Short mmCIF file of all heavy atoms in Angstrom, two decimals:
data_model
loop_
_atom_site.label_atom_id
_atom_site.label_comp_id
_atom_site.label_asym_id
_atom_site.label_seq_id
_atom_site.Cartn_x
_atom_site.Cartn_y
_atom_site.Cartn_z
N GLN A 231 0.57 -238.46 13.18
CA GLN A 231 0.71 -237.01 12.68
C GLN A 231 -0.64 -236.31 12.74
O GLN A 231 -0.65 -235.20 13.17
CB GLN A 231 1.28 -237.06 11.27
CG GLN A 231 1.44 -235.69 10.60
CD GLN A 231 2.38 -234.87 11.36
OE1 GLN A 231 3.25 -235.26 12.18
NE2 GLN A 231 2.31 -233.48 11.08
N ASN A 232 -1.70 -236.92 12.24
CA ASN A 232 -3.00 -236.21 12.27
C ASN A 232 -3.51 -236.04 13.70
O ASN A 232 -4.15 -234.99 14.00
CB ASN A 232 -4.05 -237.12 11.52
CG ASN A 232 -3.73 -237.09 10.00
OD1 ASN A 232 -3.00 -236.21 9.48
ND2 ASN A 232 -4.23 -238.13 9.30
N TYR A 233 -3.15 -236.94 14.58
CA TYR A 233 -3.67 -236.88 16.01
C TYR A 233 -2.95 -235.73 16.81
O TYR A 233 -3.54 -235.04 17.55
CB TYR A 233 -3.59 -238.25 16.66
CG TYR A 233 -4.18 -238.19 18.06
CD1 TYR A 233 -5.51 -238.34 18.31
CD2 TYR A 233 -3.32 -238.04 19.17
CE1 TYR A 233 -6.01 -238.29 19.52
CE2 TYR A 233 -3.85 -238.07 20.44
CZ TYR A 233 -5.19 -238.14 20.67
OH TYR A 233 -5.64 -238.18 21.91
N CYS A 234 -1.55 -235.74 16.67
CA CYS A 234 -0.80 -234.86 17.58
C CYS A 234 0.40 -234.32 16.98
O CYS A 234 1.39 -233.97 17.69
CB CYS A 234 -0.42 -235.68 18.80
SG CYS A 234 0.22 -234.72 20.11
N ASP A 235 0.48 -234.16 15.59
CA ASP A 235 1.59 -233.50 14.96
C ASP A 235 2.96 -234.12 15.41
O ASP A 235 3.92 -233.37 15.79
CB ASP A 235 1.56 -232.02 15.26
CG ASP A 235 2.58 -231.28 14.28
OD1 ASP A 235 2.91 -231.85 13.24
OD2 ASP A 235 2.96 -230.10 14.63
N PHE A 236 3.11 -235.46 15.46
CA PHE A 236 4.22 -236.13 15.88
C PHE A 236 5.47 -235.80 14.98
O PHE A 236 6.62 -235.79 15.42
CB PHE A 236 4.03 -237.61 15.84
CG PHE A 236 3.37 -238.22 17.03
CD1 PHE A 236 2.03 -238.06 17.25
CD2 PHE A 236 4.07 -238.97 17.95
CE1 PHE A 236 1.40 -238.60 18.36
CE2 PHE A 236 3.46 -239.53 19.10
CZ PHE A 236 2.06 -239.32 19.31
N GLY A 237 5.17 -235.47 13.73
CA GLY A 237 6.22 -235.23 12.80
C GLY A 237 7.08 -236.46 12.35
O GLY A 237 6.67 -237.61 12.58
N TRP A 238 8.27 -236.22 11.83
CA TRP A 238 9.16 -237.23 11.38
C TRP A 238 10.07 -237.60 12.56
O TRP A 238 10.64 -236.79 13.20
CB TRP A 238 9.99 -236.79 10.20
CG TRP A 238 9.10 -236.55 8.97
CD1 TRP A 238 8.55 -235.38 8.54
CD2 TRP A 238 8.75 -237.58 8.02
NE1 TRP A 238 7.74 -235.56 7.42
CE2 TRP A 238 7.93 -236.88 7.08
CE3 TRP A 238 9.00 -238.83 7.86
CZ2 TRP A 238 7.35 -237.57 5.99
CZ3 TRP A 238 8.45 -239.50 6.77
CH2 TRP A 238 7.63 -238.87 5.87
N SER A 239 10.33 -238.94 12.72
CA SER A 239 11.19 -239.50 13.72
C SER A 239 12.23 -240.41 13.10
O SER A 239 11.92 -241.08 12.14
CB SER A 239 10.41 -240.21 14.68
OG SER A 239 9.37 -239.46 15.33
N GLU A 240 13.40 -240.42 13.66
CA GLU A 240 14.47 -241.33 13.21
C GLU A 240 14.03 -242.79 13.42
O GLU A 240 13.24 -243.08 14.34
CB GLU A 240 15.76 -241.07 13.87
CG GLU A 240 16.36 -239.80 13.54
CD GLU A 240 17.76 -239.57 14.29
OE1 GLU A 240 18.14 -240.38 15.03
OE2 GLU A 240 18.26 -238.50 14.04
N TYR A 241 14.40 -243.68 12.50
CA TYR A 241 14.19 -245.05 12.67
C TYR A 241 15.49 -245.80 12.51
O TYR A 241 16.44 -245.33 11.88
CB TYR A 241 13.09 -245.59 11.73
CG TYR A 241 13.55 -245.72 10.26
CD1 TYR A 241 14.00 -247.01 9.84
CD2 TYR A 241 13.44 -244.72 9.39
CE1 TYR A 241 14.43 -247.08 8.47
CE2 TYR A 241 13.83 -244.84 8.08
CZ TYR A 241 14.32 -246.03 7.61
OH TYR A 241 14.69 -246.23 6.28
N GLN A 242 15.52 -247.00 13.07
CA GLN A 242 16.74 -247.86 12.92
C GLN A 242 16.35 -249.24 12.41
O GLN A 242 15.17 -249.65 12.60
CB GLN A 242 17.38 -247.96 14.32
CG GLN A 242 17.89 -246.63 14.84
CD GLN A 242 18.68 -246.92 16.18
OE1 GLN A 242 18.15 -247.49 17.07
NE2 GLN A 242 19.85 -246.34 16.30
N THR A 243 17.29 -249.94 11.80
CA THR A 243 17.07 -251.19 11.24
C THR A 243 18.17 -252.12 11.56
O THR A 243 19.21 -251.75 11.94
CB THR A 243 16.93 -251.03 9.67
OG1 THR A 243 18.22 -250.61 9.12
CG2 THR A 243 15.78 -250.20 9.20
N LYS A 244 17.81 -253.42 11.30
CA LYS A 244 18.86 -254.49 11.27
C LYS A 244 18.24 -255.58 10.38
O LYS A 244 17.01 -255.74 10.31
CB LYS A 244 19.19 -255.02 12.62
CG LYS A 244 18.09 -255.69 13.40
CD LYS A 244 18.55 -256.16 14.77
CE LYS A 244 17.36 -256.75 15.60
NZ LYS A 244 17.85 -257.15 16.92
N GLU A 245 19.10 -256.26 9.62
CA GLU A 245 18.69 -257.27 8.76
C GLU A 245 19.01 -258.65 9.30
O GLU A 245 20.12 -258.88 9.75
CB GLU A 245 19.28 -257.09 7.33
CG GLU A 245 18.76 -258.11 6.35
CD GLU A 245 19.27 -257.85 4.93
OE1 GLU A 245 19.57 -256.69 4.64
OE2 GLU A 245 19.27 -258.82 4.11
N ILE A 246 17.99 -259.49 9.25
CA ILE A 246 18.25 -260.91 9.71
C ILE A 246 17.62 -261.83 8.75
O ILE A 246 16.37 -261.73 8.42
CB ILE A 246 17.46 -261.13 11.09
CG1 ILE A 246 18.07 -260.17 12.16
CG2 ILE A 246 17.66 -262.55 11.56
CD1 ILE A 246 17.33 -260.28 13.51
N ASP A 247 18.39 -262.65 8.09
CA ASP A 247 17.98 -263.53 7.03
C ASP A 247 17.13 -262.96 5.99
O ASP A 247 16.11 -263.51 5.55
CB ASP A 247 17.25 -264.77 7.68
CG ASP A 247 18.02 -265.58 8.67
OD1 ASP A 247 19.30 -265.71 8.46
OD2 ASP A 247 17.57 -266.07 9.68
N GLY A 248 17.52 -261.83 5.47
CA GLY A 248 16.84 -261.13 4.41
C GLY A 248 15.65 -260.34 4.74
O GLY A 248 14.99 -259.74 3.92
N VAL A 249 15.30 -260.34 6.12
CA VAL A 249 14.17 -259.56 6.57
C VAL A 249 14.67 -258.37 7.30
O VAL A 249 15.54 -258.40 8.15
CB VAL A 249 13.31 -260.46 7.47
CG1 VAL A 249 12.16 -259.66 8.13
CG2 VAL A 249 12.78 -261.69 6.83
N ILE A 250 14.10 -257.22 6.98
CA ILE A 250 14.51 -255.96 7.65
C ILE A 250 13.65 -255.73 8.88
O ILE A 250 12.40 -255.65 8.76
CB ILE A 250 14.39 -254.71 6.66
CG1 ILE A 250 15.31 -254.93 5.44
CG2 ILE A 250 14.80 -253.45 7.36
CD1 ILE A 250 15.12 -253.90 4.36
N HIS A 251 14.28 -255.66 10.00
CA HIS A 251 13.57 -255.36 11.26
C HIS A 251 13.81 -253.86 11.50
O HIS A 251 14.92 -253.29 11.18
CB HIS A 251 14.19 -256.18 12.39
CG HIS A 251 14.02 -257.65 12.20
ND1 HIS A 251 13.28 -258.32 13.12
CD2 HIS A 251 14.48 -258.51 11.32
CE1 HIS A 251 13.22 -259.59 12.70
NE2 HIS A 251 14.01 -259.73 11.61
N PHE A 252 12.76 -253.26 12.01
CA PHE A 252 13.01 -251.76 12.28
C PHE A 252 12.30 -251.36 13.60
O PHE A 252 11.49 -252.12 14.12
CB PHE A 252 12.30 -250.91 11.13
CG PHE A 252 10.80 -250.92 11.19
CD1 PHE A 252 10.11 -249.83 11.81
CD2 PHE A 252 10.03 -251.84 10.55
CE1 PHE A 252 8.73 -249.88 11.95
CE2 PHE A 252 8.67 -251.85 10.66
CZ PHE A 252 7.95 -250.82 11.29
N THR A 253 12.79 -250.25 14.16
CA THR A 253 12.14 -249.67 15.34
C THR A 253 12.24 -248.14 15.16
O THR A 253 13.07 -247.63 14.54
CB THR A 253 12.89 -250.15 16.61
OG1 THR A 253 12.21 -249.65 17.71
CG2 THR A 253 14.30 -249.76 16.63
N ALA A 254 11.16 -247.64 15.75
CA ALA A 254 11.10 -246.07 15.82
C ALA A 254 10.32 -245.75 17.13
O ALA A 254 9.41 -246.41 17.47
CB ALA A 254 10.33 -245.60 14.61
N THR A 255 10.78 -244.60 17.74
CA THR A 255 10.10 -244.10 18.88
C THR A 255 9.67 -242.68 18.54
O THR A 255 10.50 -241.86 18.09
CB THR A 255 10.98 -244.08 20.12
OG1 THR A 255 11.36 -245.45 20.44
CG2 THR A 255 10.27 -243.42 21.31
N THR A 256 8.31 -242.43 18.60
CA THR A 256 7.83 -241.12 18.23
C THR A 256 7.26 -240.38 19.43
O THR A 256 6.73 -241.10 20.31
CB THR A 256 6.74 -241.26 17.13
OG1 THR A 256 5.65 -242.05 17.61
CG2 THR A 256 7.31 -241.91 15.85
#
Side-chain angles (χ1 to χ4, degrees):
Q231 177 63 18
N232 291 338
Y233 183 81
C234 190
D235 194 20
F236 278 75
W238 294 93
S239 302
E240 293 181 359
Y241 74 93
Q242 295 183 310
T243 62
K244 63 182 175 181
E245 187 173 333
I246 301 173
D247 298 328
V249 176
I250 299 173
H251 296 247
F252 75 93
T253 184
T255 299
T256 62

